[in-house]
Amino acid sequence: PWMTINIRVRNQPSLLTGQVVGRLHVNEVATLLGQNGSGTWLQVYLPEAGITGWVCSQLVYSNIYLYPVNITDNSSEICEILE
């Protein structure tokens, strides 16, 4: 997956409780590891920064088909695009 805007990477799939652990920058490549139960968050690994975290799935674009993806967290919290 890659991004067209800079977005926050959080330590858990939540805007309320997830702490920002890094940023995914424009056109930076990330490894897709999984998703939460509702598919609103994606778990990614940023190889350049060595960070694993969560990003809002609405903000992620890819030139390949991403789904199905393993569920790595059972939460179903929504993610607002205002991220």
Side-chain angles (χ1 to χ4, degrees), residues 22-83:
R23 290 194 181 272
L24 191 50
H25 301 286
V26 173
N27 295 325
E28 183 176 355
V29 175
T31 302
L32 181 60
L33 303 176
Q35 68 179 3
N36 70 336
S38 61
T40 54
W41 290 86
L42 298 175
Q43 187 178 33
V44 295
Y45 174 69
L46 310 180
E48 290 183 27
I51 295 172
T52 297
W54 295 87
V55 295
C56 179
S57 63
Q58 294 176 332
L59 301 175
V60 176
Y61 302 93
S62 176
N63 59 355
I64 61 169
Y65 184 67
L66 295 177
Y67 297 96
V69 178
N70 291 333
I71 295 174
T72 54
D73 182 280
N74 289 324
S75 69
S76 59
E77 184 172 328
I78 62 167
C79 177
E80 295 293 328
I81 203 148
L82 300 174
E83 170 75 3

